[in-house]
């Protein structure tokens, strides 16, 4: 075993579909891990996770052969480093608006020379099967990924500077927050013309910088459209939304 070669799968022409997990139930996690997703993403920012559920969820993902990604709480750089030590393959930091904020994120997420991640991957090394932890450090420089979330007007304005930060692997777009920020009046419209134009621009700029564009998609149709724009990883819907939709469909089918 070794760290999943997520970067290779996200290379030119690659496309990764991730489940989005905000609930903490292990049975729910297993259902999505056993489905035909390439990866799973644990949402800490708006989900119900705590450190214990993240530790168990990352372990479950690794042992079932799927990369685990994590969307962090805003500015929680300490948790970013800790979850990588738990065995996560990628971390996403919300509300990155400047190159300095991106550099601070990279500092905790990447080993030198890219950052200053502190050494201590005991659990990650064990989970991923590294007999020699030095080999984990070598692989992690390239194979554990750091994504800055682009979801405000300032982050769009500073996009080129953020993308130029050494050690940052790419960006992750939050269409809902982005649409609210760009609307001028707080309107939520992630499929509106203004948000769509920004989403296209972000994909193009990220590709031109030689980095990886990733995004959240509320529906399969959104995911397919974002792939056409050049996004290489799409997190689709959520565990809560899928369960709620399934429950409604089942009840309606019986009563219909």
């Amino acid at each position: 075993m070794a760290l999943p070669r997520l970067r290779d799968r996200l290379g030119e022409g690659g496309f990764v579909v991730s489940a989005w997990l905000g609930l903490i139930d292990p049975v729910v996690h297993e259902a999505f891990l056993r489905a035909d997703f390439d990866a799973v993403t644990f949402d800490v920012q708006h989900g119900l996770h705590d450190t214990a559920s993240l530790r168990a969820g990352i372990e479950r993902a690794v042992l079932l052969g799927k990369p685990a990604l994590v969307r962090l709480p805003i500015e929680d750089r300490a948790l970013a480093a800790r979850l990588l030590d738990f065995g996560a393959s990628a971390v996403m930091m919300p509300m990155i608006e400047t190159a300095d904020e991106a550099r601070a994120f990279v500092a905790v997420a990447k080993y030198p020379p890219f950052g200053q991640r502190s050494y201590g991957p005991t659990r990650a090394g064990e989970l991923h099967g590294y007999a020699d932890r030095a080999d984990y450090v070598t692989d992690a420089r390239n194979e554990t990924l750091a994504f800055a979330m682009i979801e405000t007007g300032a982050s769009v304005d500073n996009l080129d500077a953020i993308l130029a930060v050494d050690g940052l692997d790419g960006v992750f777009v939050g269409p809902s927050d982005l649409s609210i920020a760009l609307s001028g009046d707080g309107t939520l419209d992630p499929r509106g013309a203004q948000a769509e134009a920004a989403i296209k621009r972000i994909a193009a700029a990220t590709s031109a910088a030689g980095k990886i564009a990733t995004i959240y998609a509320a529906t399969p149709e959104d995911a397919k459209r974002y792939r056409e724009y050049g996004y290489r990883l799409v997190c689709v819907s959520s565990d809560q939304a899928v369960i709620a939709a399934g429950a409604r469909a089942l009840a309606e089918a019986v009563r219909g």
Side-chain angles (χ1 to χ4, degrees), residues 33-161:
L33 284 162
R34 295 185 190 281
D36 191 21
F37 290 99
D38 303 305
V40 295
T41 300
F42 297 100
D43 178 19
V44 189
Q45 184 185 11
H46 296 302
L48 304 180
H49 290 285
D50 56 21
T51 303
S53 70
L54 291 166
R55 177 189 60 77
I58 291 167
E59 288 176 351
R60 195 172 293 113
V62 173
L63 294 173
L64 288 174
K66 301 285 179 76
L69 297 77
V70 183
R71 177 168 74 168
L72 301 156
I74 297 172
E75 295 186 353
D76 198 339
R77 290 180 287 277
L79 185 61
R82 193 171 189 196
L83 295 180
L84 292 170
D85 285 344
F86 284 0
S89 291
V91 284
M92 307 160 174
M93 181 64 76
M95 298 291 177
I96 295 288
E97 295 193 306
T98 67
D100 284 343
E101 290 175 357
R103 277 189 284 270
F105 173 41
V106 168
V108 298
K110 293 286 185 175
Y111 288 119
F114 302 120
Q116 299 172 326
R117 178 181 168 189
S118 179
Y119 175 78
T122 302
R123 186 57 177 150
E126 180 181 329
L127 274 176
H128 292 291
Y130 285 89
D132 187 338
R133 298 296 188 264
D135 292 335
Y136 170 85
V137 173
T138 298
D139 285 353
R141 287 192 186 97
N142 190 61
E143 300 299 338
T144 55
L145 306 181
F147 296 109
M149 287 196 67
I150 304 298
E151 48 189 345
T152 70
S155 63
V156 173
D157 291 341
N158 295 321
L159 179 61
D160 291 338

Side-chain angles (χ1 to χ4, degrees), residues 176-196:
S176 292
D177 276 318
L178 185 62
S179 73
I180 293 170
L182 296 180
S183 69
D185 61 2
T187 299
L188 173 66
D189 189 11
R191 299 180 187 88
Q194 197 168 23
E196 282 286 296

